[in-house]
Amino acid sequence: MKEGASMQELTEQELLERVSSSQEGSFAVFLYTPFCGTCKVTERMLDIIMTMMPALPLVKCNINFLPQITREWQISSVPCIVIIEQGIEKEFIYRMQSVDELYLKLLPLNRM
């Protein structure tokens, strides 16, 4: 079985730089913790989506290493997908019901 594109893992500093970089455009960040079962399910769903849309601008970050971002963005729980447009947190997705639902939420990013 061929592996699809996988999400790049960013440090807090790399994420802050990417958010503040205006030429970066829109992208999504998957926030998780390593021992969270729901996060693992969400990551599997995102892997499926990445297989369908390899160019999707999607990165992941372990929230345990994001104290500044967790505070600034007021992240209430994980898993969380944050959609960032022009350096602004546009949408916070906390409910990951299905691959279809996530695919439709992330689809606009694939065109940008």
Side-chain angles (χ1 to χ4, degrees), residues 16-48:
L16 287 168
E17 285 168 15
R18 185 157 181 182
V19 169
S20 65
S21 170
S22 56
Q23 71 268 27
E24 195 59 59
S26 300
F27 67 101
V29 185
F30 168 53
L31 302 174
Y32 73 98
T33 59
F35 300 109
C36 157
T38 315
C39 296
K40 289 190 190 333
V41 171
T42 301
E43 187 162 8
R44 281 198 294 274
M45 290 195 283
L46 291 171
D47 285 342
I48 292 167

Side-chain angles (χ1 to χ4, degrees), residues 38 41-42 45 79 81 93-103 105:
T38 315
V41 171
T42 301
M45 290 195 283
I81 297 170
I93 306 167
Y94 288 103
R95 216 176 92 245
M96 322 309 169
Q97 237 179 332
S98 67
V99 171
D100 290 349
E101 187 183 290
L102 276 180
Y103 177 83
K105 289 240 186 229

Side-chain angles (χ1 to χ4, degrees), residues 5 8-9 13 19 25 35 40 44 52 59 74 77 85 88 99 101-102:
Q8 180 188 4
E9 180 116 21
Q13 190 57 45
V19 169
F35 300 109
K40 289 190 190 333
R44 281 198 294 274
M52 294 186 283
V59 295
Q74 301 178 343
S77 66
E85 291 179 12
I88 296 161
V99 171
E101 187 183 290
L102 276 180

